Amino acid sequence: MVRIGIVGLTGCSGCQCEILNCEEALSKILQRAELAFFPLAKDDHTVPELDLALVEGSVSTELDEEKVKEVRKKSKVVVAVGSCACYGGVQAQRNDEASLKEMLEAVYGGEKLFLKVFKPRPVSEVVRVDYELPGCPLDKRQFIYTVASLLNGVKPFFPKIPVCHECKLSETECLTLKGITCQGPVSFAGCGAPCTASGIGCQGCRGNCDFPNFDEMVKLLTERGLKRSDALKFLKVFRGKTFNTEKLGSYADGKGA
């Protein structure tokens, strides 16, 4: 029987809770697989040999690093789930703006910590990752699709189309045209675009679509009333270290508007 493990690093555990919410699908998956490791849901803290490991959270402490290295060593397939595991998450958005010492002093006031910490990193910066399921939290349907595919020996495939594509399919009125700030044109679809359907602009929690035009996106956001600095921060929130303003064009250096 296939042995599955669900591992939590530094994060809110929201992706793990979302997996637990897949009650009907989980019951069917567990007819063909054993949930061999899941500390959030069962009293077990020793990582066994696994066929499939799903890892949530960013690597932010020495314990995180040790755990994910052990999981990689004992697992045939490792899947990063959620934006923290895939990109470093919200906690990594200011990694390039301040030193670790400055961050610790701002949060803890210079108090000595008993735990060795790092700047938050995506799992792929520490170990090899086979697949990534971004989102905050991850999309339940993509989790089910991925596990079901792997159980049947099929490699899951995720076309990195923009969220705008899903808005078109659902006939959701374009929020950008209504003057609402939205990252749909540069963000990775796959969630079904529930935010835009509710009238809330896409926040980019699933990271980048293929070939995102950030320079034009910043221009659009500033035309909608955001300051350039706020537009860059808005785009960076969930993308962590994958969003590098140095790679942007004139709208990053202040010459584009």
Side-chain angles (χ1 to χ4, degrees):
M1 183 171 281
V2 175
R3 294 167 63 82
I4 297 175
I6 300 174
V7 184
L9 306 179
T10 296
C12 68
S13 300
C15 291
Q16 295 180 76
C17 291
E18 195 72 353
I19 291 172
L20 284 173
N21 286 335
C22 301
E23 296 154 335
E24 184 178 348
L26 274 178
S27 66
K28 293 180 179 178
I29 288 171
L30 294 178
Q31 292 174 15
R32 296 190 49 189
E34 173 193 356
L35 193 55
F37 183 73
F38 193 3
L40 185 71
K42 54 188 294 190
D43 187 16
D44 186 359
H45 299 281
T46 302
V47 180
E49 297 293 327
L50 298 168
D51 295 293
L52 170 62
L54 299 113
V55 182
E56 179 209 45
S58 62
V59 182
S60 302
T61 69
E62 191 173 39
L63 293 176
D64 286 340
E65 188 173 89
E66 291 172 358
K67 184 186 295 184
V68 78
K69 285 181 177 179
E70 181 183 11
V71 168
R72 175 71 271 184
K73 185 178 179 181
K74 293 184 175 181
S75 305
K76 294 178 182 177
V77 176
V78 171
V79 181
V81 297
S83 294
C84 294
C86 294
Y87 312 128
V90 172
Q91 58 266 38
Q93 66 180 293
R94 300 196 67 180
N95 274 5
D96 61 349
E97 298 176 17
S99 68
L100 180 61
K101 181 180 178 181
E102 290 172 322
M103 292 179 181
L104 293 176
E105 287 180 349
V107 176
Y108 298 104
E111 293 293 327
K112 185 176 180 180
L113 299 181
F114 295 97
L115 185 67
K116 187 174 181 181
V117 298
F118 312 110
K119 286 189 175 183
R121 293 171 289 171
V123 174
S124 60
E125 283 197 16
V126 181
V127 298
R128 177 175 57 83
V129 170
D130 299 291
Y131 302 99
E132 292 184 339
L133 298 180
C136 188
L138 87 164
D139 183 74
K140 291 190 289 187
R141 294 164 301 178
Q142 286 205 333
F143 161 72
I144 296 165
Y145 162 73
T146 300
V147 175
S149 296
L150 293 171
L151 287 176
N152 287 285
V154 177
K155 292 183 178 181
F157 172 68
F158 307 102
K160 299 193 74 172
I161 55 178
V163 171
C164 295
H165 177 79
E166 292 190 323
C167 285
K168 289 288 187 181
L169 290 176
S170 62
E171 299 184 350
T172 298
E173 186 178 358
C174 179
L175 299 184
T176 298
L177 294 178
K178 296 174 69 174
I180 297 174
T181 53
C182 181
Q183 298 185 34
V186 295
S187 299
F188 181 14
C191 56
C195 296
T196 53
S198 300
I200 302 169
C202 173
Q203 305 294 299
C205 76
R206 290 176 52 78
N208 303 340
C209 63
D210 276 336
F211 313 112
N213 188 341
F214 283 118
D215 200 43
E216 190 64 26
M217 189 75 248
V218 173
K219 176 183 177 182
L220 193 60
L221 291 171
T222 55
E223 289 175 351
R224 292 296 182 274
L226 288 184
K227 294 180 180 178
R228 185 178 295 102
S229 58
D230 290 336
L232 293 174
K233 289 176 181 177
F234 176 51
L235 289 167
K236 192 176 183 180
V237 171
F238 287 99
R239 289 175 166 85
K241 296 182 70 174
T242 65
F243 185 74
N244 188 342
T245 55
E246 293 177 1
K247 295 181 179 179
L248 291 174
S250 57
Y251 283 87
D253 59 24
K255 299 177 182 178

